[in-house]
Amino acid sequence: MGVHSMWEDYPELAKDLSSVIELIDSQIHVRDKTIETIVKNFLHSGGKLLRPAYSLLCSQIGPEQDKERAIAIAAAIECIHMATLIHDDVIDEAETRHGNPTIHSQKGNKYAVYSGDYLFCLTFNLLSKYAQSLSQLEFNVKGMEKILTGELEQLNSQYVEPVSVKDYLSRIAGKTAQLFAVSCYSGAVTSKAAKRATMQAWNLGHYIGMAFQIIDDILDYQSDDQTLGKPVMNDFRQGIYTLPLIYAMKENRQAFIPFIAKKDQLTDNDISAISDLIKQYQGIEKAYDLAGKYTNKALKELEKLPDGEYKNILYDITASLLKRNM
Amino acid sequence: MGVHSMWEDYPELAKDLSSVIELIDSQIHVRDKTIETIVKNFLHSGGKLLRPAYSLLCSQIGPEQDKERAIAIAAAIECIHMATLIHDDVIDEAETRHGNPTIHSQKGNKYAVYSGDYLFCLTFNLLSKYAQSLSQLEFNVKGMEKILTGELEQLNSQYVEPVSVKDYLSRIAGKTAQLFAVSCYSGAVTSKAAKRATMQAWNLGHYIGMAFQIIDDILDYQSDDQTLGKPVMNDFRQGIYTLPLIYAMKENRQAFIPFIAKKDQLTDNDISAISDLIKQYQGIEKAYDLAGKYTNKALKELEKLPDGEYKNILYDITASLLKRNM
């Protein structure tokens, strides 16, 4: 099974990622073939597999290589990621993901809720089979809880005036950075890495996740070729206020208040006006600066890890996150 | 915290069930207080706690009593039960549960999907903290998977002409009996019961669950005081065809086909007509007979277990399941 083209320069990693997908595929057994097809199609819909990739790379930190376990842990991580994506699409009423119609838009909430639940079960099934100890599992489960509560916070702050950079960072720490941290940490644990190195892997994942989410949020404010240069701004339309806006509002809060008050009634002219205001107050530049700081923190954690080919790959992909041509 | 009045004759069990609720309550921490309140209200909305009760009683089968662990396992079981109920209510678009408005009807799908997910996390969190071994956990997780796939099958057979008693039994085995079996089995494991006794506990739970669900399905065809003697028949209205209908259709399939073809367009006259037909062909009596057979199988498994006060209570509540005045 082919994986995303971003991995083609790293053939061994690409092969392992392909094994991750195959393992998940082999675990999906639902008597109802409609559901089985939905879940399998979602699995093969071309996600980037960033989290399992980080987990696999970090599974080379320690002295022991247990490929089977490393692949299973990476598979568990991708399963929980897919489960949260499917449930998020129900919640956001999103129509497409990766350019494909979402499960809930195709088949209704019923199938989406259960497909996500099924993937949650697969996650814990894989973890309970392949985790080395109950305490490793507990650590993983605590991670999942934070991911969920991060989402909950986002949900409840919809259309609420954004408060501070600090609140934003705490939200994305739960929503995104937590799973990247769990990915790197769990990978390191499979290789019996020293305690110190597993914590460095955790930090590495956390900083990568922070940078990744900030850049993801920036991209939403930037033009998209398909829309002839118009910014997408789906997040703003849905009342999810991210870092570029928060920085711009620090310069001129009043300018944005009327748009926030309009909630989901924004016109295309409003969107253009907001986009111009954010440019005027350097919201995007400042957000990029912060993403750069997190990327540098990640690279600094990375330097501390034992040398090896995996480290060069981690360096490459982490540095290229800032460019996000991937 | 008071528990359901059905337990008032068993003060020690009632106390332990109250500890189960307190433990779950103490684990619910969501920064967003709206969600926290939703989940806590649901917890305290007066469910019968049958599954944790069976689990606690079976935790007295073996030679060792580990109350803390037994309560935690019972709590995990109640959490997964609550999670599936909340997600089922999203799927069924149910308006009320236990006479209270459902979460999705009060707050929308968003909150219901996440509240259920949050409870899934609590389940696995409790299991990973209190399970004795990873293999016990795997067993539990496999159980959850079956519960889900049981629901999925029900979902996909909506408004589809029911096929056979065998298919019905296989559906309720997954949907209901599995969690009762996991409850009894996991309880027994906490007491370090012998392998043989834990398997007897599993069978006991399975038979109880089968009887419980058949009777639950019968109740849907029976009159409800509040509706002045009219049968509720919510299941039939929603295209979920259960045992009384399946038995009646074996006698006269043609009589029911036009009603099934009407799907969700049934009038009140249709409902009365179906109810009369089911009476005419003894659908309810036959279903009761089968529930009685499962109850007897459960009581026979129970006899094999070591003597003790817990066994008398198990006998009482299992025998009274058939009457279902509880």
Side-chain angles (χ1 to χ4, degrees):
Chain A
M1 274 169 254
V3 294
H4 198 278
S5 60
M6 70 175 283
W7 307 115
E8 62 195 12
D9 292 340
Y10 315 106
E12 179 159 353
L13 179 59
K15 195 173 129 266
D16 290 346
L17 285 170
S18 174
S19 303
V20 166
I21 299 297
E22 271 168 51
L23 174 61
I24 301 173
D25 190 277
S26 74
Q27 301 286 307
I28 301 169
H29 297 293
V30 192
R31 215 192 287 179
D32 173 346
K33 296 303 160 198
T34 314
I35 301 270
E36 194 170 290
T37 307
I38 288 174
V39 177
K40 289 201 173 194
N41 285 348
F42 192 75
L43 172 67
H44 296 291
S45 67
K48 291 193 208 79
L49 307 174
L50 266 183
R51 293 154 192 82
Y54 273 109
S55 183
L56 287 168
L57 289 166
C58 287
S59 75
Q60 295 168 55
I61 291 176
E64 288 182 33
Q65 308 299 301
D66 182 343
K67 185 79 94 182
E68 189 193 354
R69 196 188 292 274
I71 285 170
I73 295 296
I77 284 163
E78 186 62 13
C79 283
I80 191 122
H81 179 56
M82 291 196 293
T84 56
L85 289 182
I86 292 172
H87 281 181
D88 287 351
D89 286 339
V90 176
I91 283 154
D92 299 340
E93 293 158 15
E95 293 298 315
T96 58
R97 173 166 302 273
H98 300 152
N100 301 318
T102 55
I103 294 174
H104 96 98
S105 74
Q106 269 183 297
K107 294 278 174 182
N109 281 345
K110 302 187 185 197
Y111 286 91
V113 170
Y114 275 130
S115 302
D117 288 355
Y118 184 76
L119 285 162
F120 273 122
C121 282
L122 280 193
T123 305
F124 292 107
N125 205 352
L126 284 165
L127 286 178
S128 63
K129 253 189 230 153
Y130 290 98
Q132 274 122 316
S133 68
L134 277 165
S135 69
Q136 190 196 353
L137 190 68
E138 193 188 330
F139 207 83
N140 269 302
V141 172
K142 276 217 175 302
M144 324 254 143
E145 239 182 277
K146 278 211 183 144
I147 295 159
L148 266 177
T149 51
E151 283 289 342
L152 288 172
E153 274 159 43
Q154 168 165 317
L155 172 67
N156 227 39
S157 55
Q158 262 182 304
Y159 300 115
V160 173
E161 191 191 327
V163 200
S164 67
V165 173
K166 204 177 143 227
D167 286 343
Y168 166 83
L169 294 177
S170 131
R171 193 174 78 204
I172 69 169
K175 190 182 110 169
T176 307
Q178 184 74 20
L179 189 54
F180 276 94
V182 167
S183 303
C184 292
Y185 170 86
S186 310
V189 168
T190 65
S191 67
K192 305 232 162 97
K195 173 110 191 159
R196 207 187 137 140
T198 61
M199 291 322 295
Q200 285 160 353
W202 177 276
N203 292 337
L204 171 67
H206 170 78
Y207 293 135
I208 289 167
M210 296 299 283
F212 178 83
Q213 187 60 52
I214 292 171
I215 291 166
D216 209 53
D217 290 340
I218 289 171
L219 290 178
D220 195 58
Y221 280 98
Q222 291 186 321
S223 327
D224 168 344
D225 290 342
Q226 292 176 329
T227 58
L228 302 168
K230 282 185 199 162
V232 185
M233 287 178 66
N234 280 330
D235 287 341
F236 199 102
R237 290 177 205 264
Q238 286 176 37
I240 298 163
Y241 304 124
T242 58
L243 196 57
L245 174 74
I246 294 168
Y247 275 134
M249 280 186 85
K250 280 174 86 171
E251 301 301 317
N252 185 349
R253 182 174 163 277
Q254 285 311 322
F256 292 93
I257 292 294
F259 296 112
I260 288 172
K262 282 190 153 184
K263 297 193 171 179
D264 57 353
Q265 304 297 318
L266 292 167
T267 65
D268 284 350
N269 282 342
D270 292 334
I271 294 291
S272 294
I274 298 161
S275 175
D276 290 345
L277 281 167
I278 290 189
K279 266 184 209 133
Q280 185 183 338
Y281 296 110
Q282 278 93 43
I284 288 173
E285 287 87 333
K286 286 174 188 168
Y288 255 124
D289 282 350
L290 190 59
K293 279 181 190 153
Y294 278 112
T295 306
N296 288 333
K297 282 185 184 190
L299 296 176
K300 242 169 142 174
E301 284 299 321
L302 188 49
E303 271 169 33
K304 298 177 196 167
L305 292 174
D307 287 333
E309 177 56 15
Y310 80 94
K311 196 168 157 178
N312 300 333
I313 303 179
L314 277 174
Y315 192 93
D316 279 3
I317 62 173
T318 305
S320 71
L321 271 186
L322 249 195
K323 301 177 212 128
R324 269 301 270 287
N325 42 7
M326 47 192 255
Chain B
M1 273 167 254
V3 293
H4 197 277
S5 61
M6 68 175 283
W7 306 114
E8 60 195 11
D9 292 340
Y10 315 106
E12 179 158 352
L13 179 60
K15 196 173 130 267
D16 290 347
L17 285 171
S18 174
S19 302
V20 167
I21 299 296
E22 271 169 50
L23 174 61
I24 300 174
D25 190 279
S26 74
Q27 301 286 307
I28 300 169
H29 297 294
V30 192
R31 216 194 285 178
D32 173 346
K33 295 304 160 198
T34 314
I35 301 271
E36 193 169 293
T37 308
I38 289 175
V39 177
K40 288 200 174 196
N41 285 348
F42 191 75
L43 173 67
H44 297 291
S45 66
K48 291 194 208 79
L49 307 174
L50 268 183
R51 294 154 193 81
Y54 273 108
S55 183
L56 286 168
L57 289 165
C58 289
S59 75
Q60 294 168 54
I61 292 176
E64 287 182 33
Q65 307 298 301
D66 183 342
K67 184 80 97 181
E68 191 194 350
R69 196 187 294 272
I71 285 171
I73 296 297
I77 283 163
E78 187 61 13
C79 283
I80 191 121
H81 179 56
M82 291 196 293
T84 56
L85 290 182
I86 292 173
H87 280 181
D88 287 351
D89 286 340
V90 176
I91 283 154
D92 299 340
E93 292 158 15
E95 292 298 314
T96 58
R97 173 166 304 271
H98 299 151
N100 301 317
T102 55
I103 294 175
H104 94 97
S105 75
Q106 269 182 299
K107 294 277 176 181
N109 281 344
K110 301 186 185 198
Y111 286 92
V113 171
Y114 275 131
S115 302
D117 288 354
Y118 184 74
L119 284 162
F120 273 123
C121 282
L122 280 194
T123 306
F124 292 106
N125 206 350
L126 284 164
L127 286 179
S128 64
K129 254 189 227 150
Y130 290 98
Q132 273 122 314
S133 67
L134 277 166
S135 69
Q136 190 196 352
L137 192 67
E138 193 188 331
F139 207 82
N140 269 302
V141 172
K142 277 218 175 299
M144 325 255 142
E145 240 182 276
K146 279 213 182 143
I147 295 159
L148 266 176
T149 50
E151 282 291 341
L152 288 173
E153 274 159 44
Q154 168 164 318
L155 172 67
N156 228 40
S157 55
Q158 263 182 302
Y159 300 115
V160 173
E161 191 192 326
V163 199
S164 66
V165 173
K166 202 178 145 225
D167 286 344
Y168 166 84
L169 294 177
S170 131
R171 193 173 79 204
I172 70 169
K175 190 183 110 168
T176 307
Q178 183 74 20
L179 189 54
F180 275 93
V182 167
S183 302
C184 292
Y185 170 86
S186 310
V189 168
T190 67
S191 67
K192 305 231 162 98
K195 174 107 191 163
R196 206 187 137 140
T198 60
M199 291 322 294
Q200 284 160 355
W202 177 276
N203 291 338
L204 170 68
H206 170 77
Y207 293 135
I208 290 166
M210 296 299 283
F212 178 83
Q213 188 60 53
I214 292 171
I215 292 165
D216 209 54
D217 290 340
I218 289 171
L219 290 177
D220 196 59
Y221 281 97
Q222 292 187 319
S223 329
D224 167 344
D225 290 341
Q226 292 175 332
T227 58
L228 303 168
K230 284 186 197 158
V232 186
M233 288 179 64
N234 280 330
D235 288 341
F236 199 104
R237 289 175 204 265
Q238 285 176 38
I240 298 163
Y241 305 123
T242 58
L243 195 56
L245 174 74
I246 294 168
Y247 275 134
M249 280 185 84
K250 279 175 87 170
E251 302 300 317
N252 185 347
R253 183 174 163 276
Q254 284 311 322
F256 292 93
I257 293 294
F259 296 112
I260 289 173
K262 280 189 154 184
K263 298 195 169 179
D264 56 354
Q265 305 296 317
L266 293 166
T267 65
D268 283 350
N269 283 342
D270 292 334
I271 294 291
S272 295
I274 298 162
S275 175
D276 291 344
L277 281 167
I278 290 190
K279 267 186 209 130
Q280 186 183 337
Y281 296 111
Q282 276 93 42
I284 289 173
E285 286 88 333
K286 287 174 187 168
Y288 255 124
D289 283 349
L290 191 59
K293 279 181 191 154
Y294 278 112
T295 306
N296 288 334
K297 281 185 184 189
L299 296 176
K300 242 170 144 176
E301 284 300 320
L302 188 48
E303 271 169 31
K304 299 176 194 166
L305 293 173
D307 287 332
E309 177 56 16
Y310 80 93
K311 196 169 156 177
N312 301 333
I313 303 179
L314 277 174
Y315 193 92
D316 280 4
I317 61 172
T318 305
S320 70
L321 271 185
L322 248 196
K323 300 176 213 128
R324 267 304 268 288
N325 43 5
M326 46 190 257

